[in-house]
Amino acid sequence: MGALPKNSLAARLKDKETSVPDKLKLAKFAWITPSLHIPNKHQQLLDFTCGLLVNRKKHHLTDADAALVWETLLKFLKGTERSVTIKPSILQVITDCLGQDSTPKNKDRATDKEQLLECIVECTKQLMEFPSVTSAHFESLVSLLAKILQCVSCPTSNVLVLLTPAVSVVSRALRVHLQQVLVLQLTTDRLLAPFLSLLDVLPDMEDLQALIVSALLHPDHSEMYKTFLDDFSNGQGPAQLKHGLKSVSKLFETVAAFLAQGKHSVATQFLPQLMKHFVCQNKAEPRESFLLLKHLVSLVGDTDPPRPSSTPTPTTAHTLPADLWTETVARLVEACDGCELFATGAGGSVGGGKQSQGQGTVDILTWFCQLMEAVVKQDRKLSWFSFMRSVLQQNHLIVEKYLTQILSSGLVRSNQSEKRECYGQDLFLSELVSMYLRLRRTPELLSALLSATDPHVEWEGGAGDVMGNASDGMGVLPKFYQSLCWMFRNVPSTTLLELWEMLQKSLVKQISSCVSAGSKKEKSRGLSDLSWTLKLYTFLLENSSVFDQRTASVVMDKVVVLVGRLETEVLIPSAMEDRKLFQGIKELMELVSVWSLFKSMLSPKWRETSSSTPASEGKTKEEKKLRAGLRKLYKHVDTSTKVRLLLQRGEKASADRPVALAGQDFVVAIEDFVSSHLDGQRLTSDTVHELWEGNISSVSDLRHPASLFREFTQMLPLVARGMSETSVDSCALFIVQVMSHSPHQLPFSESDTSLYKEVQTFLRHPEVKEWRVFQECLSSRLWTVLLADLHLSQSSSPQKKRRKVTGERGSVETDLERLVNFVTSSHAETLDSVISLEAIKVERKVSTSKLSLVKVVEEVPLEYLASVNLKCQLGLLCVLSNLQMSTSESWAVSSLKELLVRSLSVSNLSQLFHCIRSPELIDFAVKLTPQSCVLRGEHGCVLLETCVEAVMRDRKSMRDLLPYSKQLVAPFRKSAQVDTVQVLTTALIVRNCHKYLSHHVPELRSTAVDIVFTVAKAVVTHVQMWEETDGEEMGKKKEKKKSNRKRKSLSSDTSEAMSTTGCVAGVPEGSTAWMGALVCLGEVVSVWSPRAADRAANQSLEAVLKKMIASVLKQLKGYQSDKQTQDAHLRFLHQCCHCHMRCQQATTQQDLTADSSPAPCGQTNPDSGDIFSLFMTSDLCEMWRSLLSVAQREMSRVIAEVDGGGVSKNDGVNGGDGSGCGYENERTTEDEKSRVVGKEKRREEGMCLDFNDNDRGMKKVTGVVGEGREGCVQGVGGEGDGDGGVPEVSLDVLSEWPTRMTLWLDLLTGIMETSDPDLFSQLLEDLVSQLSPAGQVPEPVVYLLCAVWQRLTTSPHLTPALTHLFFSHMYQSLSALLSLLEHFESLKDSNSQTDTYVSHKRRPVRSVSRFLIEAVTDFVHLGKSVVTPRMTLLCLHAGMTFTLASAADVMSIYRLLNTTLVYHTNSALSAIPAVLHLLNNILFALGYNKNTCLS
């Protein structure tokens, strides 16, 4: 096509001579040509295309032309914006096209028609996205939707895709339409009938159904519906129906017409939704809801319904079949659940007259009663139960009027294939019981239940066929069963007695009727109904609360009488019946079982009543009859009942003496009871782990073992002491069989249980914990299974092979046999000789599949059973020695280790060391401890620590430990590289020697001293070997330098570094050898006393320690170590400080007083050196200043980590110059500001951890002097744990610090404790000077120095001279703390008043202030003998300066005020205004008004 002039497009399109295809080609060319600029081009082309379709006759369009136009329109609609305007008249064209006949005779033409229809459908989908179309005339939209519904009814139609968008468009138009009367008319005229006809074709049309219902029941139509329903209730139609009433009338006429045509889905699906929507809109008008319900029920078939489907009478005279009628009525009534139809505010009579409200309620009740009569006669389906539940929720009086008939029908056996029907039956019956329990009308309910099951009580329509067996019936009704149990458990005692008497009378009556029954059918029916009464009686006895402590004695007397009547009127006649009529009834046996249990619990009261009532001849005869009857029933009752009956027989035989449990009948009964309840042959993994909610009615074949074992657990207190060894062994075997199954990780609630869980509960039973015989049998059975792979019997080993075994191999088999035989025997108490742990290792390994039994040993009370614990210890040692180690079973190894730790933690292990050698136990632990555990921390070394402590705890083993210690440290003297675990073992032995150094037994004290000096000598020799090794390596390196000049500079630097470091330069710091030597030296230093050693030993140890100290200090200053190494360095320096302090005190005090502690390492050696000094005064001063700088930097980093951010280069300290003074506050960069602002924002949102907002309790402060403190402990007491016995600071700030900062505080405090008076005074002045001026001290420095000061106030290691110096500087210290508090409080106030700059100090400001208050509080706690009144007033002034901003702040001020009032009462009374000010602050912070505070 050539170029088209711009001004000729409209003319060419309107030209009549141009054909329609040419016009469409021209339009499409113009649409896709961007260079053709025409104002509003797309709008014009769309108007032209739509105009062709709208004016089809005018343009003489053929079918082919029309198809081409639809295709062009579809192309235009897909490529245009949704803002263009489409003429709404196109909707009428679409409606007409959809209604045309699409089934022509010609096949080719039919294909063209289908393609055209698909094109029209696609165009319609596109058009519904244009606002101009969706806002079209509502009538056009309704017509289009009606046409779509008509087309959808055809199964081959492809118009279904238009249904959802059309419903959405009409719904939006409906919400904004102003004339809802017109909407109602269009809906009833055009939409209702097509919609109802589609309910069978498309049942799932929720959106369309919601549209129809909302259009029919718009709130604007409420008055019309009210008028129509009033006229309907009066039986008179309006003379002239208005426009709206015609539409309402047509609605119900259309529904009636469809129901008459057999469209049953209209009744079951549409009418309930219509009723539900009407009820939701008219909750304030329950009368209108009832009228609509009544009218809808009349449409489907009024209160005279069709006959049940089971009857042969036809039901053609009614609208719906019987089952559908019941379902529809049930759904309609269920739709009224949210409306109180019987409320007095319903407003007058249902007939709309001027009757009273009460009369209206009576009319509603009458109509519902008629409806109930009709429904009760129908077949019992799920809808039948739904109707009963709905009516029960509306008004229980309707149900109560027909309660007997309802229960007779409700207890009929349901169709087991219909699970929903069974569920509906169960739900209705349980709700019925719950309703009557809430109404306190349980006697009426029980009377109806008994009448429903009574064959002699009939009602109109015939008696219901109650399900034959009560046990089977309760099995399919679990909720009903639980409701009955809950009813008997929660009724008052007087009501319970009334129910009891009712059941008693009914049971006696039914027994007599069964005995006198003539025909077999009557007898069978009577036994069936008797089972229900027996079941109810059983429920009452099982769940009654008569044994509550609050039960009155009068009630208990009545209970005793009723139990007696049960025996004489029920049990004796049932047992003495000659025809054995009742012996096969399962419910009777259950009643006997529950009666025996009930009477066992009632036995004390029964004996009391028997003793108070004189025995008569008639009473003796009754007892004889009862015993004779029980003998007849004895063969038919279960084993647990037999046991209880035998117990009661023993009580009756002799009420004044204990029951003789040694009788042969009792033993046989218990054995039968155990064998029937603990059958391990039927156990499988499914039965062990099958979940069960604990309901007896839900017991299945898989759950039956769990229910039996639960009953065994309940009977355990009665039978435990009378069980024979065979029965006890059977019980232990069953436990082992169950626990051998690995536990499944199945999700279950707390109420769910299983056989595996029941066994775990059994093992925690108090009776089991105290059952020694069972624990021994359980232990034997357990280890028999675990050691089955290692058991070497004589029969399993051929005689020829045993002859070839060497003597050594023979000893291996002998030791293992003796150990296994001892552990698996329930009678052996100890081994006759010592066995070797090395000898019990064999080539066969223990299977890890059986290690789930370890959970059984975890429940055994090993602390109280020495024999069981001994077998557990030996068994664990044997299993761990022969366990097949693998990464997949690491959990098993860890569990075994934890169990062995628990087993070895008992106080007395003498029996164990009669069986094995104590050094072998330590060697066993050494082999199980990996090398990496030494550097990772203490968690991996728990077993090793426990074994060492166990050996050292036994005095005999302690005496024999010196040779082993020498053997252990022998490698120290031979090589510079030793095993790390051996080094740790040596350190643990030295640590545990501490308690024996001052022991009253000379032999133990001497052994401990020898061990310490042996280890010390070996460690010193080992460290000195590093020098020799270092010298040899340096010589080799010098020779290597000459051959390789490229490494000259590196070698020279290394040699210089090693020469400055000292003897330890040959071993890399932080290596395993270095850490081992450090740990050993630390433990030696902790217990070392120079007065117990000679001069040479002191000098050697002193030289080694000084070189180690120099190397440690260099690493700490240079930040060259990781966390584990740094912690070891800090502990080592702390131990050295306290050793130096003890040695200096021993040097200055030559004559020890009687109150002083003895030397840690035994008696004084006459050749001991006079001086053992690790630090000079200058060394301590330099170490204080350098380490203080490093600690401040570490403190800054720790605070930054806890606060969620990093640490800046200048965050609190100046560097490592060692001065410790001259801090500068550098300006925060913009990046730092933004980071801190983000962090504060996250904290406000709860995303960042604020480690200062946790409250803490009051801590008891112990120290040197003052009230509330213990006396000064001098010497080495309290230093065995490596921290010098310094108490930790229990502050909420410090509680979040890692262990590293605690060690830093211990070390800094230890340096000051070690100093002489002059140096202590100098360091204390330096500490106070660094806390001022207040404006220049960073927060980390305040935390650190104040924590050191606080520890000094509670330190037990300060000498009297140092204590005097410390308190002489107390005023300066308190003044500095008060200045800091005022400074940080001013920062807090300034930050709260302005938000222009969020400082990174906002959180530390609050924390530091509270930290200072806590430090002051701990100081006040020292008491008035140390703290002067002036100091107390300064502390109160500090509290007045502190502002309360959080709950933790309130607790801090509360502790300060409380401590002041308790320990400084006179000082507090002299400052009443300050005390009142603090009290007012606390009250105001707690929310009290300032006007109500104290004045």
Side-chain angles (χ1 to χ4, degrees), residues 557 560-561 603-616 619 652 655-656:
D557 295 339
V560 172
V561 174
S603 57
K605 185 66 179 178
W606 190 272
R607 287 196 297 267
E608 181 181 342
T609 307
S610 301
S611 60
S612 61
T613 304
S616 59
K619 186 175 181 181
K652 281 294 182 180
D656 299 331

Side-chain angles (χ1 to χ4, degrees), residues 164 290 578 660 710 996 1147 1175 1313 1439:
T164 301
F290 170 72
D578 296 334
R710 172 175 284 190
Y996 292 106
T1147 302
F1175 304 101
E1313 294 169 345

Side-chain angles (χ1 to χ4, degrees), residues 1287-1335:
E1288 294 185 0
V1289 183
S1290 60
L1291 292 177
D1292 55 342
V1293 179
L1294 291 180
S1295 62
E1296 296 292 338
W1297 292 355
T1299 309
R1300 187 180 305 179
M1301 285 317 302
T1302 304
L1303 295 175
W1304 276 107
L1305 294 175
D1306 292 340
L1307 178 56
L1308 293 175
T1309 307
I1311 292 174
M1312 295 193 68
E1313 294 169 345
T1314 308
S1315 306
D1316 56 14
D1318 295 336
L1319 179 59
F1320 181 82
S1321 179
Q1322 181 182 353
L1323 296 180
L1324 186 59
E1325 291 176 357
D1326 181 60
L1327 185 148
V1328 176
S1329 64
Q1330 293 189 43
L1331 292 175
S1332 59

Side-chain angles (χ1 to χ4, degrees), residues 903-921:
S903 179
L904 293 175
S905 299
V906 297
S907 57
N908 187 7
L909 294 175
S910 58
Q911 292 183 354
L912 176 64
F913 296 119
H914 282 112
C915 300
I916 62 173
R917 300 178 182 88
S918 56
E920 291 187 358
L921 180 62

